[in-house]
Amino acid sequence: KLRRRRSFARRRRRADLRGIRRCQATPVMTAVNSHCLPCLRRTGLLPEHLPHQRALCPLHPFHAAERPVAAPVEGNEAACPNCYCFACDAPVSACRHWRGGEPRVPAHCNAHAGSAEWRTQRSNAKRQRTRAARAARDPLGLG
């Protein structure tokens, strides 16, 4: 039995390594699904074609605010079609609070990973989505 387990573990490791290849542009191992930037450029797929947080958008400059504020800061509301809201983890077009407007709800266009307050708000939103999904699957809570 022990020999069979080792053999299985070895086969499993080999199978896992098949999905990894060496990138020609960099000496770093990269997964097949995640390519390095030179490889993406060679295939014609640029960073602005991939989904990304608004703060990391290569087309529109982002101006980080120290704290969450109610109004957009210096043009942060501009977004490309592939931008995602950091707080909601949804496309910008689906974010209800992108430009702010509601009292006590900061404008999500100013959200970025460098702020502890935004990270907390993001984790709370994710927790709420998880609870809502569980409630939809099991409305009586019987588990």
Side-chain angles (χ1 to χ4, degrees), residues 30-67:
T30 58
V32 171
N33 293 334
S34 64
H35 300 284
C36 67
L37 195 56
C39 292
L40 289 174
R41 289 219 168 96
R42 214 175 15 246
T43 61
L45 190 62
L46 299 173
E48 55 264 20
H49 298 137
L50 301 172
H52 51 267
Q53 295 173 13
R54 168 58 188 94
L56 303 176
C57 184
L59 300 178
H60 302 286
F62 181 78
H63 304 283
E66 292 291 321
R67 300 177 56 89

Side-chain angles (χ1 to χ4, degrees), residues 12-124:
R12 175 79 179 208
R13 241 178 300 162
R14 270 192 237 126
D16 290 344
L17 290 175
R18 271 189 229 127
I20 298 176
R21 66 185 169 108
R22 188 170 290 279
C23 179
Q24 294 83 13
T26 59
V28 181
M29 297 295 279
T30 58
V32 171
N33 293 334
S34 64
H35 300 284
C36 67
L37 195 56
C39 292
L40 289 174
R41 289 219 168 96
R42 214 175 15 246
T43 61
L45 190 62
L46 299 173
E48 55 264 20
H49 298 137
L50 301 172
H52 51 267
Q53 295 173 13
R54 168 58 188 94
L56 303 176
C57 184
L59 300 178
H60 302 286
F62 181 78
H63 304 283
E66 292 291 321
R67 300 177 56 89
V69 291
V73 174
E74 302 176 33
N76 282 350
E77 70 274 0
C80 74
N82 293 318
C83 282
Y84 265 69
C85 174
F86 178 77
C88 299
D89 200 25
V92 168
S93 58
C95 177
R96 295 181 304 149
H97 306 293
W98 185 248
R99 289 190 172 86
E102 291 184 30
R104 295 177 36 194
V105 177
H108 285 190
C109 63
N110 300 322
H112 58 94
S115 169
E117 292 179 44
W118 281 116
R119 287 192 307 267
T120 302
Q121 191 165 354
R122 178 186 174 122
S123 64
N124 289 341

